[in-house]
Every structure is written in structure tokens, then in C-alpha cells.
Amino acid sequence: MASNTASRRWRRLGYYVDQTLVYLFVAGLVIAILGPYLWMVISSISTQSELLSVPPHWIPTEPTFQRYAALIFGPQPGQNLPVATDKFTSALLSSTVVSALTTLACIVFGSAAAYALTRLPFPGRRYFMIGVLGLQMLPIVVI
């Protein structure tokens, strides 16, 4: 009876160790995934001197939303634009135009291809559809 109780204790201890390892792994994964986003937000509200300091500051001593205000409202009178603000706005506009045109082209060509694949009979259609379905199951990097 005593060995049975000791066996239960060891199993329970093993369960807690396993759960602790799983939670530590998940916590590390969350930090690895969310860390770059946190650093991006921190660096966006830090001053230029804090960004260039060694070692880097995780919590800005003088947080500023000057970059956001300059992006949204433009520079204030007598104030210069923060570094690369003009490049950011032109890059944002270019990215928006390119992504909108790409989306429109994908919708037009994808709709035409989907209509042809589903409504028009042609030899090998079944095998082609199976191939398309199989390719959709793979990550785009593999293809």
C-alpha cells in the first residue's frame, strides 16, 4: 500500500514537472513572437538619442508621440520632420497602391479561372482540380 501511494506521488510530481515545462515553453514562444512587436512600439515612442544609446532602453525615459503626430497631421510650424517621416509616407502610399492593384488583379484573374475550372468541361479537369487542392495544402514557401 505504501509503494502504491509513493508511486502516485511520483506520477503527480512528474505531471507537475511536465506541465511546468509546457508552460515555460509556451511562455518563451509568446515572448519570441510578441517581443519584436513590443520593441517596435517602444522604439516608435522613444527619442532619437534613446534609440542610439548603448545598452538599449526597454522603457523610454521621455516617451514622445511626435513621430505619430508628424505622420498624421504633418509637421508643426517651426518644427522639422522626424527622421525618415517623408520616406515613410511615400513608401506607405506606394505600398497601398501596389497592394490594391495586386488584389484587384488577383480577384479578376482568380474569378475567371474559378469559373473556367468549375463550369467548363475539359480533359484532365478532375486531376487538375485535385492538384490545385493539393497545392493549397502546402505552405507557399514550399511551392
Side-chain angles (χ1 to χ4, degrees):
M1 190 67 152
S3 65
N4 193 12
T5 305
S7 174
R8 281 190 202 150
R9 286 183 188 154
W10 280 108
R11 267 187 284 179
R12 191 177 314 137
L13 179 64
Y15 172 78
Y16 290 131
V17 168
D18 288 345
Q19 289 298 312
T20 303
L21 291 176
V22 167
Y23 282 118
L24 286 174
F25 176 74
V26 169
L29 194 61
V30 166
I31 290 170
I33 291 171
L34 295 181
Y37 293 104
L38 179 64
W39 181 252
M40 181 178 61
V41 170
I42 289 170
S43 64
S44 73
I45 62 173
S46 297
T47 60
Q48 190 72 20
S49 61
E50 286 181 340
L51 289 174
L52 299 175
S53 67
V54 176
H57 296 239
W58 277 99
I59 300 173
T61 55
E62 299 174 17
T64 178
F65 291 97
Q66 177 186 10
R67 289 184 185 93
Y68 291 111
L71 284 174
I72 296 170
F73 305 115
Q76 300 298 324
Q79 177 187 20
N80 292 333
L81 285 173
V83 176
T85 301
D86 55 339
K87 293 178 186 176
F88 177 80
T89 52
S90 65
L92 182 64
L93 178 64
S94 297
S95 296
T96 303
V97 169
V98 168
S99 63
L101 291 176
T102 302
T103 301
L104 183 65
C106 286
I107 289 173
V108 169
F109 292 121
S111 298
Y115 180 81
L117 288 174
T118 57
R119 301 290 182 192
L120 304 177
F122 59 90
R125 183 177 84 165
R126 176 184 169 116
Y127 298 113
F128 185 75
M129 294 282 280
I130 290 172
V132 168
L133 182 64
L135 285 175
Q136 286 180 348
M137 294 180 190
L138 297 174
I140 196 71
V141 175
V142 174
I143 299 172

